[in-house]
Amino acid sequence: FLSLDYQSVQGLGAVLDIASGESVSGQGGAIGGSSASSTAVTQAYGQYKKGALTLMGGRFYTAAGYEVFPVTGNLFVSRSQTFNLEPTYHTGGRANYAFSDTLNVTVGLLNNTYSVNNNSENTLKNKTAELGIAWTASSNLSLGLTHYRSRPETDLLSFVVKYKFSEDLSFALNVDNTRGNDADVYTAVAFYSTYTFNDKVKLGLRLEEIKPK
């Protein structure tokens, strides 16, 4: 995994992430144009920050779900089935506005989420709209809701809540729901618990259920 970035507090910035290995096989964006390639550009975008507003254009990670694509951001070595059913990243434009230190709203217009390998379907009439709300209710509780609406009539609604019970024990819940004809139609529920013994040892538990419709 290679990451290059320049992100200033205000003004212009850019990010480039290139991933290699089995986890990227079959992803859209593979180098060389083959979905079977084990190397892919997972992020490549420019951004501009002005006050509370951040504008992004290019390819960037999805806002859906609890787990993230970079393995260093997850406690578990394996991926959950919920993560595997979610989009990994999107290509398009995204705007984020921080109304306060605790409330952020994101909107975006993206290439068709469920047709990343079919450029012929990425027309102006066949895009994915993104809407996300992130709220930090307290130092122990945060909530996020993300909605992707694609044509023709495909939806992904992803809800994530994180709760820090104590300095050592934390919980998270990820609920995803899809509907439509262009994606796997399902409801997924994933529960996470993490206990920190010390700076070097953590214990994690993940439980999940996928219900096809």
Side-chain angles (χ1 to χ4, degrees):
F1 187 84
L2 173 66
S3 181
L4 302 173
D5 69 87
Y6 172 75
Q7 300 185 73
S8 59
V9 177
Q10 296 289 313
L12 295 172
V15 173
L16 173 64
D17 287 353
I18 300 176
S20 182
E22 293 182 359
S23 63
V24 301
S25 297
Q27 299 285 349
I31 292 177
S34 171
S35 62
S37 173
S38 61
T39 301
V41 177
T42 54
Q43 287 201 118
Y45 66 86
Q47 70 176 28
Y48 178 75
K49 292 185 178 181
K50 179 67 174 180
L53 177 66
T54 301
L55 302 176
M56 301 168 59
R59 171 172 290 167
F60 34 76
Y61 293 130
T62 188
Y66 172 74
E67 295 183 31
V68 295
F69 182 80
V71 293
T72 54
N74 302 308
L75 176 63
F76 300 94
V77 176
S78 63
R79 304 287 194 183
S80 68
Q81 285 297 104
T82 303
F83 173 87
N84 289 329
L85 288 168
E86 295 166 346
T88 303
Y89 43 77
H90 309 278
T91 301
R94 174 185 281 172
N96 174 271
Y97 191 84
F99 287 92
S100 67
D101 292 338
T102 60
L103 180 63
N104 285 266
V105 175
T106 299
V107 296
L109 183 63
L110 318 166
N111 283 350
N112 194 307
T113 297
Y114 298 101
S115 301
V116 294
N117 291 317
N118 190 345
N119 292 328
S120 64
E121 295 190 14
N122 286 319
T123 65
L124 288 176
K125 294 183 179 181
N126 195 10
K127 293 293 184 183
T128 294
E130 175 187 49
L131 174 62
I133 300 174
W135 178 44
T136 302
S138 69
S139 59
N140 295 327
L141 178 65
S142 64
L143 302 96
L145 183 65
T146 305
H147 183 208
Y148 290 103
R149 172 78 170 178
S150 299
R151 285 188 171 186
E153 307 305 321
T154 302
D155 286 90
L156 167 62
L157 187 65
S158 181
F159 173 73
V160 176
V161 57
K162 303 176 186 178
Y163 180 67
K164 187 176 181 180
F165 183 79
S166 68
E167 289 298 322
D168 300 322
L169 182 62
S170 62
F171 302 100
L173 180 68
N174 181 188
V175 180
D176 287 356
N177 183 74
T178 67
R179 64 177 182 177
N181 299 318
D182 285 1
D184 295 327
V185 180
Y186 65 91
T187 296
V189 179
F191 171 80
Y192 303 82
S193 178
T194 303
Y195 187 84
T196 302
F197 290 94
N198 52 51
D199 294 340
K200 297 182 179 180
V201 179
K202 289 184 179 181
L203 177 66
L205 172 69
R206 179 175 66 204
L207 303 171
E208 64 177 328
E209 182 178 9
I210 312 294
K211 292 183 177 181
K213 295 182 179 179

